[in-house]
Amino acid sequence: MDRGSLATATATAAVGDLDPAVCFGAVMHERHVAAHNRFVYPSAFLRLPLSRIDALRVPLLGIERAAAFSFRRRDHGARDGSPLLPWLHRILDAHGLRHACDGEVVLQTMPRVLGYVFNPVSFWFCHDASGRLRVVLAEVSNTFGERHNYLVHHPDLRPIESGDELRASKIFHVSPFFPVRGEYRFRFERRPGLHAVTVDLWDDGVLQLSTRLGGRAEALDGRAMRRWLLRQPFMTLGVIARIHWQALRLAVRRVRFHSKPLPPLEETSR
């Protein structure tokens, strides 16, 4: 192993689940019904412990300020720039889950890149005081400017282990090529230096869509952010462009189009 690879491996091994991190990997989507379609694109995302976010000082990454990469509270939660943890705590309180989530909350998301961001989904990993994962909030956005949150956890609130399957009914419109029905099945994979989320959409016992977002964690520092900027300087613009490109491909193949219904009345479901 050369010195560069050794340095990367050492940095990866040193990044814990609750540490600030940048993850380099890929996103995969596979449509299993009517006009099979599969694509894989390179991706990257941040993992930010919310109790420490205001103290982060990382070259190229601005927290509530302009930079090549920037994190803004108004892109999440109440979307008004207010603190994020009180917003999350209100949701957990409303669903009787706060007592199980008295530890760190790690927000996994994409930052603004050169001022622009679109996050199809961000994940809020809610841990107990011992660092065990208990609840995950999936904050989903569609291209119509609407948002919805799915809360997933075990019915008995036991710790969520790597590979456990958690379910939530689909009630929010995302793609016009799928109706608003069925069930999401979530799996959260955590191995040393690796974070991955798999979300499968099932309807009437048939697998409709598989998605996976994963990446290897590195310390959140200037070296990692410079590499991100050099490799994918327009990544967030690319997200929205690729969504529309894949939609065009399905439209050309005459896949059934479902009109957008009204969004759900509730902000959060489980």
Side-chain angles (χ1 to χ4, degrees):
M1 179 181 293
D2 60 33
R3 281 188 293 180
S5 299
L6 180 60
T8 299
T10 301
T12 299
V15 180
D17 286 355
L18 305 183
D19 292 331
V22 57
C23 299
F24 294 102
V27 60
M28 182 279 294
H29 282 235
E30 184 171 9
R31 179 186 176 92
H32 299 280
V33 294
H36 175 268
N37 187 44
R38 185 179 188 274
F39 59 86
V40 180
Y41 294 126
S43 187
F45 53 88
L46 299 178
R47 287 178 55 85
L48 302 172
L50 292 185
S51 70
R52 300 157 59 185
I53 191 167
D54 290 331
L56 287 177
R57 300 292 183 270
V58 181
L60 297 180
L61 175 62
I63 305 299
E64 295 300 319
R65 63 179 179 82
F69 299 87
S70 57
F71 177 85
R72 304 279 187 173
R73 286 191 292 269
R74 67 174 181 265
D75 295 330
H76 300 280
R79 309 288 170 133
D80 60 3
S82 59
L84 297 178
L85 278 175
W87 172 84
L88 176 65
H89 290 162
R90 286 193 294 271
I91 291 177
L92 296 175
D93 282 334
H95 291 270
L97 301 173
R98 177 77 180 277
H99 67 284
C101 304
D102 55 352
E104 184 64 85
V105 176
V106 177
L107 176 57
Q108 179 173 302
T109 190
M110 288 185 291
R112 291 174 174 253
V113 184
L114 303 180
Y116 181 81
V117 70
F118 174 71
N119 270 300
V121 59
S122 298
F123 296 97
W124 305 61
F125 293 93
C126 307
H127 302 81
D128 64 20
S130 299
R132 295 172 297 185
L133 182 62
R134 297 283 186 165
V135 174
V136 180
L137 182 143
E139 183 183 28
V140 181
S141 300
N142 64 23
T143 55
F144 302 97
E146 299 167 341
R147 295 171 295 276
H148 185 74
N149 309 311
Y150 292 98
L151 270 176
V152 293
H153 57 84
H154 287 299
D156 59 1
L157 282 180
R158 69 183 183 273
I160 300 171
E161 303 294 345
S162 184
D164 286 357
E165 184 177 88
L166 304 168
R167 302 185 180 191
S169 296
K170 179 182 178 180
I171 67 170
F172 178 63
H173 179 81
V174 178
S175 167
F177 301 102
F178 285 105
V180 182
R181 66 169 188 254
E183 178 184 69
Y184 288 122
R185 301 183 184 181
F186 296 82
R187 293 190 303 280
F188 304 99
E189 182 181 348
R190 300 181 310 283
R191 294 182 302 196
L194 173 69
H195 297 279
V197 179
T198 299
V199 185
D200 294 333
L201 174 63
W202 289 76
D203 186 16
D204 198 22
V206 177
L207 178 60
Q208 308 285 311
L209 178 71
S210 297
T211 63
R212 179 180 172 85
L213 171 65
R216 293 202 169 275
E218 299 183 14
L220 180 53
D221 58 21
R223 181 176 60 179
M225 300 310 293
R226 283 191 293 272
R227 186 145 54 91
W228 186 343
L229 187 62
L230 288 172
R231 289 182 176 182
Q232 300 181 68
F234 304 108
M235 190 190 75
T236 50
L237 280 170
V239 169
I240 199 74
R242 288 163 177 167
I243 287 173
H244 287 95
W245 169 244
Q246 296 296 333
L248 177 61
R249 293 183 63 194
L250 293 176
V252 168
R253 298 170 71 180
R254 299 183 182 276
V255 175
R256 181 182 175 186
F257 188 93
H258 299 268
S259 297
K260 188 185 82 64
L262 292 174
L265 295 177
E266 63 268 35
E267 176 187 47
T268 303
S269 62
R270 58 175 177 165

